[in-house]
Amino acid sequence: MEPIIQVKNVSFEVDKQMILKDVSFDIQKGERVTITGPSGGGKSTLLKIIASILTPTGGTVSYQNKDIQEMDPLDYRKDVSYFFQNATLFDETVEDNLTFPFDIKDEEFDKEKCLRMLARVKLDETYLKKPIKELSGGEKQRVSIVRNLLFRPQVLLLDEITSSLDAENKDIIYAILDELTNEEAITILFVTHDAREIEMSHRVITIHKGEVENTQ
């Protein structure tokens, strides 16, 4: 079976400093893979390259056998969704954020679908009109997940998204991630130091000083 994501000889250099060097690995559809390793080793840079936020200075990233640099960025990001470490919400209310995916697809806002998704992350109907500035960090992260999952991506790229959350919020996010992979075969790539996220993974790739140290 062809991998859904293929990273081939990816390097990234800034101001003559090599951040990543000849990184290669494949990810199969439905896999949960963790990228881990010491801080400053290039993990988040690699995830941003896979997300097409950064462009590698060497090598290629392919999605379903297509070089992502040759794909329409909007089409790619509909299928491959990147989550920042700290949730990025915009405008004034939760509803403003949840209407955005419908606007991109030129579809009518589906309030009932949004309420069902909010309920899955333990947020009730009152949150639709809640100002963003009144949300806790955990609530912002949950709203961000709902926004990104209203139209299902094929791949989730998660950059230490639970690192600043308390145990309750982590449990809520882990439950929905389990559901997505077990029931819908969505592929998940974590960058994390969190032991539980590592345990949730099918495979661990260790990056050390910009190179793949081992996979297991």
Side-chain angles (χ1 to χ4, degrees):
M1 186 168 56
E2 293 290 343
I4 191 167
I5 295 282
Q6 186 174 43
V7 178
K8 187 173 181 180
N9 300 323
V10 164
S11 297
F12 189 75
E13 186 177 355
V14 178
D15 296 330
K16 297 184 179 180
Q17 180 181 1
M18 191 65 75
I19 309 299
L20 295 168
K21 183 180 179 182
D22 294 329
V23 173
S24 296
F25 57 84
D26 295 344
I27 299 174
Q28 300 296 329
K29 180 174 174 59
E31 267 199 301
R32 287 181 295 199
V33 177
T34 288
I35 299 175
T36 192
S39 297
K43 303 183 302 297
S44 290
T45 297
L46 177 59
L47 203 68
K48 288 182 174 71
I49 288 171
I50 297 170
S52 195
I53 294 170
L54 297 175
T55 302
T57 52
T60 59
V61 176
S62 299
Y63 171 68
Q64 296 184 333
N65 269 338
K66 298 177 184 175
D67 186 336
I68 65 171
Q69 297 303 315
E70 298 174 2
M71 296 179 66
D72 181 298
L74 286 178
D75 288 340
Y76 181 62
R77 286 168 188 159
K78 287 175 185 175
D79 276 6
V80 180
S81 185
Y82 176 83
F83 287 77
F84 291 89
Q85 183 173 2
N86 297 306
T88 304
L89 302 180
F90 46 78
D91 289 342
E92 295 184 6
T93 67
V94 169
E95 186 172 4
D96 291 335
N97 282 266
L98 301 188
T99 58
F100 181 68
F102 294 93
D103 291 341
I104 288 178
K105 288 182 171 285
D106 199 25
E107 293 188 16
E108 184 177 349
F109 178 63
D110 187 337
K111 180 179 178 180
E112 291 305 312
K113 182 177 185 178
C114 291
L115 292 179
R116 288 195 301 272
M117 285 297 297
L118 286 171
R120 288 173 71 179
V121 296
K122 312 298 184 187
L123 298 176
D124 62 35
E125 184 172 0
T126 63
Y127 276 84
L128 267 185
K129 300 298 183 183
K130 185 163 283 195
I132 296 304
K133 63 184 180 181
E134 294 182 9
L135 300 179
S136 69
E139 289 168 339
K140 288 179 180 177
Q141 199 66 281
R142 283 186 269 164
V143 170
S144 175
I145 284 176
V146 169
R147 183 183 64 195
N148 285 38
L149 296 179
L150 282 167
F151 295 95
R152 290 288 192 269
Q154 295 297 310
V155 180
L156 298 179
L157 306 176
L158 310 179
D159 192 356
E160 303 207 50
I161 64 164
T162 64
S163 62
S164 61
L165 303 184
D166 60 23
E168 180 183 3
N169 277 294
K170 285 185 178 183
D171 285 343
I172 291 167
I173 289 173
Y174 293 150
I176 196 166
L177 294 179
D178 262 340
E179 192 175 311
L180 290 169
T181 49
N182 293 335
E183 297 180 10
E184 302 183 35
I186 289 178
T187 305
I188 299 179
L189 183 57
F190 299 94
V191 163
T192 187
H193 295 100
D194 187 279
R196 185 165 170 189
E197 288 169 31
I198 293 171
E199 287 176 6
M200 288 171 64
S201 299
H202 300 122
R203 191 156 48 100
V204 177
I205 298 170
T206 303
I207 302 290
H208 181 64
K209 294 183 178 179
E211 300 184 66
V212 174
E213 188 172 70
N214 59 62
T215 62
Q216 58 187 47

